[in-house]
Amino acid sequence: MPPSNTATTRLLARTRKRLLDWYDVHRRDLPWRRTSDSYAIWVSETMLQQTRVETVIPYYERFLACFPDVQSLADADIEDVYAQWTGLGYYSRARNLHAAARTIMDEHAGELPRDAARLRALKGIGRYTAGAVASIAFGAGEPVVDGNVVRVLARLLAVRDDVGERAVMERFWDVAGALARGVRPGDLNQSLMELGATICTPRAPRCPECPLQKDCEAHRRGDAETLPRRTRRPRTRNITAVAGWIVRRGRALVVQRPEDGLLGGLWELPGGDLEDDATPEAALHRCLDERLGLAVARATPVGEIEHLFTHRRLRLHVFRCQEPSGRVHRRDHAAHRWLSPAALCELPQGGPTRKALALLCEGSAEPHRRRLRGRAAPHGP
């Protein structure tokens, strides 16, 4: 950090001016920057969480075309919301948007609260989103701190401490808060994020083009690319699971996951996790019996798919099953349906299910040897 309050004040003043001047010339033309509608800004900020801009744009435009205001979103069925979200990932964001929209209608007369504290009381709105909406939509002097902002500030101030530590993150929030206090706080916050996304990138930062280069301590010391530092990274957990394509009288069985948890509320093929040393086929028979009360005489392996979530790597064994005996008795699913293949594809579903259905549709002389390998896009399942 700069050595004195006077130096800090001068640095922040220079930084504010340079960021805003740069942003006025170089900001990208993005659809959510063409509106002052707080609802549209809230939707964009929710979609942009852990998701690339280029991925979000078509989803944002389709979502607003379907749900143009808070009331239309609040009145919608959650499955219709999921249908517009399918493929964007992190489906809890869609659930939270829907729940918060209903709260806004019930408790705020259909208008988003204008201050960060009341925004944070809404489901799914945390410190970052509250600051972004309050500053961009309402001109409040609230800060935002995301990965881009951390990177810019860590390099500007040469912060070499572990950014995974709470105290270090609070320092960034303090600096971002000081920067946000002044004219055009929304543009200031967006300029910080824009700089991190386009110039002060994780690898090969374009320092000669950076408006903050003259004051950047990391650039002066020649180690910008080493910052920020995070010593503890979460491990990726490997999960193996099974899923079965079960058809009765031309209709396939699908089940809905509980609302809470990974892929909550989405539809998938019946199955479950592979436990202990069981074979995939044995695991499928157990899952169908324990979770649905169904028995199948034969399950033929079709292949495997792989899917990477944020901190989990899923390996899913896919089977084609004979018509089952018994009636469905759900134990830990929210719902089940027997649907035609075409209708099944219209349901909101996660990446693993889409890959499993693609595998089933491929066909092969030796289906058990076919594999689909895939990594989820950075925005998740």
Side-chain angles (χ1 to χ4, degrees), residues 54-237:
E54 58 271 22
T55 300
V56 166
I57 291 174
Y59 284 93
Y60 170 82
E61 293 173 337
R62 288 195 297 267
F63 195 90
L64 287 186
C66 191
F67 311 114
D69 50 36
V70 175
Q71 179 151 12
S72 60
L73 178 58
D75 290 344
D77 185 88
I78 186 60
E79 288 202 7
D80 293 332
V81 178
Y82 283 144
Q84 296 302 317
W85 202 274
T86 297
L88 189 58
Y90 298 106
Y91 291 87
S92 61
R93 295 180 297 175
R95 290 198 304 277
N96 292 338
L97 266 176
H98 186 246
R102 292 188 166 181
T103 301
I104 292 168
M105 293 305 302
D106 292 342
E107 301 179 13
H108 299 282
E111 298 290 334
L112 264 76
R114 300 177 66 90
D115 64 273
R118 289 196 299 158
L119 283 167
R120 290 185 69 177
L122 296 172
K123 189 171 181 62
I125 297 187
R127 191 176 185 180
Y128 165 83
T129 303
V133 174
S135 63
I136 298 169
F138 302 119
E142 295 287 346
V144 298
V145 175
D146 68 353
N148 288 318
V149 174
V150 166
R151 188 164 55 255
V152 170
L153 296 182
R155 290 171 176 175
L156 176 67
L157 305 173
V159 177
R160 292 177 171 78
D161 298 319
D162 181 3
V163 298
E165 298 292 333
R166 182 184 297 273
V168 178
M169 286 301 298
E170 285 303 318
R171 290 167 62 189
F172 290 128
W173 278 101
D174 288 344
V175 174
L179 287 170
R181 288 192 290 272
V183 298
R184 301 171 60 191
D187 285 346
L188 186 283
N189 285 336
Q190 290 182 92
S191 71
L192 271 172
M193 294 185 284
E194 187 85 338
L195 188 68
T198 62
I199 300 295
C200 193
T201 50
R203 288 173 291 280
R206 294 150 55 189
C207 296
E209 302 173 45
C210 180
L212 307 183
Q213 178 185 341
K214 291 182 179 178
D215 283 319
C216 182
E217 280 295 303
H219 174 72
R220 185 178 66 81
R221 300 183 190 187
D223 65 350
E225 199 165 350
T226 69
L227 300 178
R229 293 178 180 171
R230 184 184 296 273
T231 58
R232 292 179 294 180
R233 297 185 181 275
R235 292 182 178 179
T236 298
R237 185 160 65 94

Side-chain angles (χ1 to χ4, degrees), residues 247-311:
V247 177
R248 174 180 282 168
R249 293 189 289 276
R251 295 179 177 270
L253 176 63
V254 287
V255 292
Q256 187 180 36
R257 297 177 68 93
E259 286 292 328
D260 296 331
L262 186 68
L263 301 177
L266 300 187
W267 294 83
E268 65 185 9
L269 300 178
D273 291 348
L274 193 154
E275 299 175 355
D276 302 324
D277 296 324
T279 65
E281 185 174 352
L284 179 65
H285 285 290
R286 174 185 56 79
C287 290
L288 295 178
D289 176 46
E290 293 180 355
R291 306 180 75 184
L292 293 168
L294 295 178
V296 294
R298 179 181 296 178
T300 303
V302 176
E304 305 166 17
I305 64 98
E306 293 181 0
H307 192 90
L308 185 63
F309 299 96
T310 306
H311 302 307

Side-chain angles (χ1 to χ4, degrees), residues 360-381:
L360 285 158
C361 289
E362 281 188 350
S364 171
E366 294 180 296
H368 62 286
R369 294 188 181 179
R370 298 184 64 84
R371 298 187 67 174
L372 291 181
R373 290 184 179 272
R375 179 187 176 98
H379 56 276

